[in-house]
Amino acid sequence: MHGNTSGLRPAQLKSLGNLYRRRIEPGRVGSPELARNLAELSDDIRREVSVLIDRRGRVISVSVADAKGAELPDLRMGENRLAGFHLLHTHPRGGVLSKGDLSTLFLKRLDAVSALEVRDGGQPGLVHTAHLTPPGTVGEEEDWRILDPVPAFQIDELDLGAQVSALEEEIARAARTREAKKDRERAILVQIDQGEFDAEERLTELSELARTAGAEVVYQELIYRRNLKAGTLVGAGKLEELTSKAYHLDADLLIFGQELGPAQAREIEAATGLKVLDRTQLILDIFALHAQGVESRLQVELAQLRYMKPRLLGAGAALSRIGGSAGSAAGGAIGTRGPGETKLELDRRRINDRLSFLEKQLEGVSVRREERRKTRARGGVPVVSIVGYTNAGKSTLLNAFTHAAEEPRRVLAENKLFATLRPTSRQGFIEGIGPVVLTDTVGFIRDLPKDLTRAFRATLEEIGDADVLLHVVDAASPGADTRLDAVNRILEDLGFVGLPTVVALNKADAADPEALEREVDRTGGIPVSALRNFGLGDLKEALADAIEQVQRQELAQREEARERAAEYGL
């Protein structure tokens, strides 16, 4: 027995136990005798009583609780099957099926749920029954169909078995049709608005991240919550709505724009039955998808392990799987890819050992990069580091500057976030300056996950060795100003303050003229279109001026140093 049985007399407890002995005809909702016993007992104890019945007609659990509180097996039968149980419970005060009854039916994928009205004197009244409808059923506004009520003495005439068989067959057929058409994971996106001015923009960015990871976004919602729910962020009611959306839209992935704690992710997964990711996992997955070089793979695996360590420890043998595809697009589902080992069957010591190994490997890579930077510095060639928000067009601009239209000099440039992760250097030429080295860096994003920042710090430190920064801004983006500010904050956090900077307002050909003019006034930037070779001459002139200014300052510093040396006889 389940539920609150405190205060019940021994005779009442015995009556509850006797319910286990009741057998009904397989495929039926109940029997008149069972209905009479339930009504009498519910009236006697003045509480709801629920019985769970399997398809063989056996009562497998008895609960002194309503439908939501009834004891149910913790089983998920898969998308193409129902749970194999139906729930019959009493309504001591009468009334039709409640919202809680129907939510339990849907969330637990029960064969059916029935409510037995209890009349005065413990007499059984009408029986109200509902069952699920297949996703996409025409003419159905809800996730369930409510049957006409029947008197308790006719309860055994409801042929639930035939209905369930037909329903499961219809669900399976619809699932096969959808699966044949589906070539990628279908995702529902949730961005919580706590009063931020850029909440809608964040939802748009989350959608772009999901698309880059290979998901098909079938629904997205901006949910206003001043105060977040501790366990689920959005509350049980909203999770039920999202589960219903996923059921009808054939979605299998729920992505939150906020970072989720391990306990929160588990609770949301348990409530919805969906795979749950947060924004950080999504970004890590995209980095894993695009990591090509040895260094990038090491950095991504390091970031993934740091993020997943608190989520994996204590999970026992069923630890999560990162992947094993070296970042290939075919390497598994979203959130499971990565250049790491195929399965993370690692305890605390082994995870820490792997982290130490990766950090040492990256230290070696950092030393080799430092040697290359020193060699380049001795050559006296000015260095321009191209920075900017991800997908702002940095790689396209680098290709346009260096006339690298074809391989092997051409840098990968795609309309996706984080298309390139490795810093790429190419030699270009600026009139009045001569040869320059242009370095394309990894794209930034607001609230860049700390684990990624730490892993890529050695790569990002190369920015500090530049003579001039070329900050590329997507002028066609509605949030160009906030993205520019986000990049500046990251540069400040990394300690790169005061470097001479030229702002390129890229994609000017697609930007709103008034918005572009405002950005020019605000930033002093130069409108360009790297794709259409528009404005590049003006940009090169601005870079030449900035480099000349740096060279004059360096010359003045050297002259001052020589004068001081002569003064002290050195």
Side-chain angles (χ1 to χ4, degrees):
M1 282 179 286
H2 184 72
N4 183 10
T5 58
S6 60
L8 297 186
R9 299 189 303 274
Q12 294 171 332
L13 291 172
K14 183 177 180 180
S15 296
L16 284 170
N18 288 337
L19 292 175
Y20 282 102
R21 299 190 179 94
R22 299 289 178 258
R23 294 292 297 268
I24 64 174
E25 184 179 348
R28 305 296 171 174
V29 169
S31 66
E33 182 184 10
L34 177 60
R36 185 173 62 254
N37 293 153
L38 282 172
E40 291 173 351
L41 182 57
S42 182
D43 181 68
D44 186 25
I45 65 177
R46 300 185 182 280
R47 299 186 197 172
E48 297 91 344
V49 179
S50 301
V51 293
L52 193 67
I53 305 169
D54 67 12
R55 292 181 182 176
R56 296 171 63 182
R58 299 176 301 179
V59 174
I60 62 171
S61 76
V62 178
S63 306
V64 182
D66 59 9
K68 278 196 168 184
E71 182 182 18
L72 303 174
D74 189 17
L75 298 173
R76 295 197 63 83
M77 304 303 295
E79 292 185 359
N80 301 339
R81 290 195 57 194
L82 301 177
F85 311 99
H86 68 273
L87 184 70
L88 174 61
H89 69 293
T90 61
H91 279 186
R93 297 180 182 84
V96 299
L97 289 164
S98 68
K99 181 66 175 178
D101 298 338
L102 296 170
S103 295
T104 302
L105 165 70
F106 174 71
L107 293 173
K108 299 299 183 180
R109 297 182 68 81
L110 296 173
D111 291 358
V113 63
S114 298
L116 171 65
E117 293 188 56
V118 179
R119 294 176 176 170
D120 294 340
Q123 295 298 311
L126 294 177
V127 180
H128 305 268
T129 300
H131 62 75
L132 292 178
T133 56
T137 303
V138 178
E140 296 290 343
E141 296 182 359
E142 301 288 354
D143 303 314
W144 45 75
R145 182 180 297 132
I146 299 177
L147 306 180
D148 293 333
V150 298
F153 64 84
Q154 294 180 343
I155 190 173
D156 55 352
E157 296 181 12
L158 285 174
D159 188 359
L160 186 60
Q163 182 65 50
V164 167
S165 297
L167 180 57
E168 283 195 330
E169 184 178 340
E170 195 173 345
I171 291 174
R173 183 169 55 251
R176 287 193 298 269
T177 301
R178 293 193 306 272
E179 196 64 33
K181 296 179 179 179
K182 186 168 66 173
D183 58 354
R184 49 185 174 160
E185 290 179 270
R186 294 165 64 84
I188 289 177
L189 311 184
V190 173
Q191 178 68 45
I192 300 174
D193 176 9
Q194 290 188 275
E196 300 94 345
F197 70 93
D198 60 347
E200 290 187 7
E201 185 184 334
R202 287 174 178 268
L203 179 60
T204 301
E205 183 175 271
L206 186 65
S207 177
E208 190 66 16
L209 286 168
R211 184 184 72 85
T212 301
E216 179 184 356
V217 178
V218 296
Y219 179 76
Q220 57 186 24
E221 184 172 351
L222 186 65
I223 301 173
Y224 180 78
R225 287 285 188 279
R226 175 62 68 181
N227 299 309
L228 300 181
K229 300 289 184 180
T232 62
L233 298 186
V234 296
K238 177 56 68 174
L239 286 184
E240 287 185 15
E241 291 180 22
L242 295 172
T243 305
S244 176
K245 286 286 184 184
Y247 179 71
H248 288 287
L249 296 173
D250 191 30
D252 40 29
L253 181 59
L254 181 60
I255 303 175
F256 278 80
Q258 279 69 22
E259 183 168 325
L260 302 173
Q264 289 173 325
R266 286 194 295 269
E267 188 166 342
I268 294 171
E269 284 183 351
T272 63
L274 301 170
K275 182 170 72 173
V276 176
L277 298 180
D278 61 17
R279 180 176 180 271
T280 297
Q281 287 173 286
L282 196 59
I283 293 175
L284 287 170
D285 188 77
I286 294 170
F287 270 62
L289 182 64
H290 292 161
Q292 298 298 325
V294 173
E295 182 183 7
S296 296
R297 294 176 185 175
L298 290 173
Q299 289 169 324
V300 170
E301 184 181 356
L302 182 63
Q304 285 181 317
L305 279 175
R306 281 173 173 163
Y307 178 80
M308 297 178 72
K309 178 181 173 181
R311 291 159 172 79
L312 295 177
L313 297 178
L319 296 180
S320 300
R321 176 181 182 272
I322 276 187
S325 61
S328 167
I334 298 169
T336 66
R337 293 179 286 234
E341 298 177 350
T342 302
K343 289 184 179 179
L344 285 178
E345 296 172 347
L346 304 169
D347 56 15
R348 183 186 296 271
R349 179 183 58 80
R350 294 182 64 192
I351 291 177
N352 288 334
D353 288 346
R354 182 64 179 170
L355 287 171
S356 298
F357 171 78
L358 292 172
E359 288 167 351
K360 289 179 181 177
Q361 292 289 308
L362 284 172
E363 285 175 8
V365 172
S366 180
V367 170
R368 291 192 293 274
R369 185 191 291 109
E370 181 65 27
E371 290 299 322
R372 291 197 299 270
R373 292 207 299 260
K374 288 180 180 178
T375 302
R376 195 163 59 208
R378 287 194 294 268
V381 179
V383 177
V384 177
S385 279
I386 305 175
V387 299
Y389 212 81
T390 181
N391 205 31
K394 300 185 302 299
S395 298
T396 305
L397 186 59
L398 176 60
N399 287 331
F401 258 37
T402 57
H403 305 289
E406 299 178 356
E407 297 289 356
R409 285 176 54 79
R410 183 178 181 274
V411 179
L412 175 66
E414 291 185 307
N415 184 26
K416 288 185 177 180
L417 306 186
F418 307 113
T420 55
L421 299 183
R422 290 182 297 173
T424 305
S425 296
R426 294 286 186 270
Q427 182 167 304
F429 184 87
I430 295 180
E431 191 72 32
I433 300 296
V436 296
V437 173
L438 296 117
T439 301
D440 181 21
T441 59
V442 62
F444 294 168
I445 194 169
R446 82 189 84 204
D447 304 327
L448 186 68
K450 294 180 180 178
D451 293 317
L452 273 178
T453 305
R454 289 171 59 194
F456 278 80
R457 179 169 288 276
T459 299
L460 297 172
E461 282 175 355
E462 193 160 326
I463 297 172
D465 295 326
D467 296 289
V468 173
L469 294 185
L470 176 55
H471 187 163
V472 183
V473 179
D474 180 359
S477 168
D481 52 347
T482 58
R483 295 186 177 196
L484 183 144
D485 294 339
V487 172
N488 287 336
R489 281 195 299 273
I490 295 172
L491 290 172
E492 185 177 345
D493 291 342
L494 293 170
F496 306 137
V497 181
L499 285 174
T501 303
V502 175
V503 176
L505 300 173
N506 195 25
K507 308 181 186 179
D509 54 320
D512 176 72
E514 293 183 3
L516 180 62
E517 186 176 348
R518 286 196 300 271
E519 285 303 305
V520 171
D521 293 340
R522 191 175 80 93
T523 65
I526 299 169
V528 300
S529 172
L531 190 63
R532 303 187 183 280
N533 289 321
F534 164 78
L536 298 186
D538 293 339
L539 184 58
K540 288 182 179 181
E541 288 182 10
L543 286 171
D545 291 343
I547 293 172
E548 285 177 352
Q549 184 177 351
V550 169
Q551 290 174 338
R552 285 195 297 269
Q553 290 174 350
E554 290 177 349
L555 181 60
Q557 290 171 357
R558 286 196 295 269
E559 287 293 335
E560 184 180 351
R562 279 196 295 268
E563 290 175 1
R564 288 182 179 177
E567 182 180 345
Y568 290 101
L570 298 176

